[in-house]
Amino acid sequence: MSKHPESQGAAPFSRPTLADVARLAGVSLGSASRALSVPDQVKPATLEAVRHAVAQLGYIRDGAARALASRRTQTIAAVYPTLNNPIFAHSTHSIQQTLWALGYQLLIISHEYHIENEVALIRTIVEKGVDGIIMVGTDHDAGVFGLLHQCKLPYVLTWSVDGSSYPYCVGISNFDAAYQLAQLALSRGHVRIGICGGSIARNERARYRRAGILAAVSEAGLSIPDEWIIEHEFSYEGGRRAIRQFWGMSPRPTVILFGTDLQAMGALHECRRLGIEVPGDISLVGFDGLEEAAMMQPAVTTIRIPDSDIGSRAARIIVDLIAGKPVEAQQPMQATLIEGGSLGTLTAARRRRAGR
């Protein structure tokens, strides 16, 4: 039966040191250090002896000491507005896999749309020590950018290129994507368009999506009443509430453009519960291109954000910025329109019936 270290005379909870590794391997302290730091620069026999000693002792290098010596923590922080949206999970996975391959770890932070907490959160992770930061969106408190510049900390902005001249924005034009969705709805005969997004305060994604829809509608010679532009949380429940709110209006829109697929899917579920036919009674359009949206009945018309590509590209760029390598200014990434059965075609007769 194995014995605990304490019963063998070892100090309880004492960690083996590099000197212990060198002694067991029968090499100098310098050789042991080189074997762990630059293994390609030591003899194979030395490397094998050191690795065997490490395994036998259970030695783990002191990350804090290495960070102090190299001024690097090999850690990147990613700051998200929420962890409750599957599309952010897809991006996070892509960032993490890419960073791992490049020798970095990922630290994930979320302020859950409490924008007022973002500066404090970022200050905390900067104080703990990270080599760079990836943030969602381009609209952040001036204090955030001031802190990053003061600390000379590289950063990448993701998901959006709207409203920023920063060269390292990895994302789509939310304005263009929403404009495209609105044009599709207009081409299907819809002239009474409702909008349900999230709060546009300190959220350029929501703000530019709304602006893109309004631009397309205006170019068609139409307008959207103020009461048909509403805000609800980016969630299933937000979509459910929106349907109940719109359905109580008279007149009401014939199509609703949502800020996320989560809202659109929640709205579709609520329509089924209330006996509202989609797209017979009302059409619904999402935004994000979640795989789950295509599984709904009917499938949700939406526009797909290249979430995994955003994550991997952002990860590569932040590592290059940390290394001081030249990085080209980024161009907007392409979003993909996905037509589903949730958007119907509104004939003149149906428009007259909807106008009752």
Side-chain angles (χ1 to χ4, degrees), residues 162-200:
D162 303 292
S164 177
S165 59
Y166 186 62
Y168 311 126
C169 292
V170 181
I172 67 166
S173 166
N174 288 275
F175 180 96
D176 291 347
Y179 179 91
Q180 189 177 358
L181 284 172
Q183 281 194 318
L184 177 63
L186 290 164
S187 73
R188 296 288 187 87
H190 292 276
V191 296
R192 298 166 58 175
I193 296 174
I195 300 174
C196 176
S199 172
I200 63 173

Side-chain angles (χ1 to χ4, degrees), residues 13 17 24 31 73 76 94 175 190 192 237 262 265 291 316 346:
F13 309 115
T17 66
L24 182 59
S31 293
T73 65
I76 306 297
S94 181
F175 180 96
H190 292 276
R192 298 166 58 175
E237 183 56 32
L262 293 182
M265 288 188 286
E291 184 178 357
R316 289 192 297 270
L346 202 63

Side-chain angles (χ1 to χ4, degrees), residues 65-124:
R66 284 191 295 126
L68 185 62
S70 66
R71 303 182 67 84
R72 290 282 184 267
T73 65
Q74 300 302 119
T75 302
I76 306 297
V79 183
Y80 286 94
T82 182
L83 299 179
N84 199 33
N85 190 328
I87 198 166
F88 289 140
H90 300 163
S91 176
T92 302
H93 177 76
S94 181
I95 291 174
Q96 181 170 263
Q97 294 299 311
T98 305
L99 288 179
W100 276 357
L102 296 172
Y104 282 81
Q105 298 294 323
L106 178 64
L107 175 65
I108 303 171
I109 305 294
S110 171
H111 53 68
E112 296 301 327
Y113 289 105
H114 294 292
I115 306 298
E116 67 278 7
N117 296 335
E118 189 176 36
V119 176
L121 280 173
I122 292 178
R123 181 177 296 278
T124 298

Side-chain angles (χ1 to χ4, degrees), residues 243-308:
I243 281 297
R244 294 194 294 269
Q245 185 173 346
F246 277 120
W247 207 248
M249 297 178 181
S250 181
R252 56 177 171 258
T254 59
V255 61
I256 304 170
L257 273 64
F258 288 94
T260 66
D261 285 343
L262 293 182
Q263 290 176 323
M265 288 188 286
L268 186 56
H269 178 266
E270 187 69 4
C271 284
R272 187 176 296 115
R273 190 184 72 83
L274 296 175
I276 302 168
E277 293 186 10
V278 177
D281 295 325
I282 195 164
S283 288
L284 309 175
V285 177
F287 198 109
D288 281 341
L290 292 179
E291 184 178 357
E292 295 84 349
M295 300 178 185
M296 302 296 288
Q297 293 295 329
V300 176
T301 293
T302 183
I303 196 158
R304 177 176 293 144
I305 298 176
D307 49 359
S308 293

